[in-house]
Amino acid sequence: MRIVASVFLATALVFSPLADAKKSKKNKVQFLTGVVEKCHDGDTCRVKVGGKIAKIRFAGIDCPELSQKHGKQARNFTESVVKGKTVNLECDGKSFDRLTCTVFFEDKNVNLMIVQNGWAYDSTKYSKGRYLASVDEAKSRRAGIWSDTDLMSPYCYRHKTNRKCSLDRSYMP
């Protein structure tokens, strides 16, 4: 009986869409659809995909940490856009135990919406500068976090002892 149960479980995991996404190789894109259950912070949500919960990290952007200034507002914005809604995910890798994805709701790029509304930095190391113009636009409008003149980037918040952060609190690699 144990062997049958193990074979069944292994087969179910191998053929589930979530298992395929977790195995994705660098530069291999996986397309998934799911319902957003909740968001941990502005750039990480739990999405129910094929009966399983996937942790999704919004690719190429970095929102303030939940314990950081503006962190709860960033999370609240993201949840207001996607919580309880069916989203399409274009996943291209992993970050820790999370799939890194561009999230789409009704054909709108949610990653871009978060940046345009001033709740995220462009993480150029991963986005290759895709969101820089939208960050500049949000800054010029003083939207979201950009209404604050005393900011610390999420990267520097996480890496307080980094030499570059000691020179420039807004540093983002």
Side-chain angles (χ1 to χ4, degrees), residues 146-162:
W146 307 114
S147 65
D148 194 334
T149 57
D150 183 34
L151 286 178
M152 177 184 289
S153 74
Y155 177 84
C156 287
Y157 185 79
R158 292 187 302 268
H159 302 93
K160 290 179 175 82
T161 60
N162 181 296

Side-chain angles (χ1 to χ4, degrees), residues 79-100:
E79 279 196 334
S80 75
V81 175
V82 296
K83 187 176 179 185
K85 297 178 179 148
T86 299
V87 295
N88 293 310
L89 307 169
E90 189 175 303
C91 306
D92 61 3
K94 287 182 76 173
S95 173
F96 299 101
D97 63 340
R98 304 166 298 179
L99 297 172
T100 55

Side-chain angles (χ1 to χ4, degrees), residues 2-112:
R2 253 188 206 171
I3 294 172
V4 172
S6 295
V7 170
F8 175 77
L9 179 59
T11 303
L13 288 174
V14 167
F15 291 106
S16 79
L18 191 53
D20 288 342
K22 285 183 180 177
K23 291 180 188 173
S24 67
K25 304 254 188 273
K26 194 169 183 128
N27 298 327
K28 182 179 178 190
V29 177
Q30 296 289 325
F31 298 92
L32 304 168
T33 299
V35 177
V36 177
E37 301 254 312
K38 67 182 242 175
C39 298
H40 169 72
D41 57 23
D43 56 31
T44 306
C45 296
R46 292 179 180 268
V47 180
K48 191 168 189 175
V49 178
K52 297 182 183 228
I53 300 296
K55 289 183 192 174
I56 303 300
R57 169 73 166 85
F58 288 66
I61 66 172
D62 203 0
C63 292
E65 297 297 322
L66 195 59
S67 58
Q68 188 178 359
K69 191 177 192 182
H70 305 294
K72 289 181 179 141
Q73 291 121 315
R75 183 213 35 218
N76 293 346
F77 175 80
T78 301
E79 279 196 334
S80 75
V81 175
V82 296
K83 187 176 179 185
K85 297 178 179 148
T86 299
V87 295
N88 293 310
L89 307 169
E90 189 175 303
C91 306
D92 61 3
K94 287 182 76 173
S95 173
F96 299 101
D97 63 340
R98 304 166 298 179
L99 297 172
T100 55
C101 307
T102 302
V103 179
F104 295 92
F105 172 66
E106 295 181 348
D107 296 325
K108 293 180 189 123
N109 180 332
V110 178
N111 304 38
L112 179 60

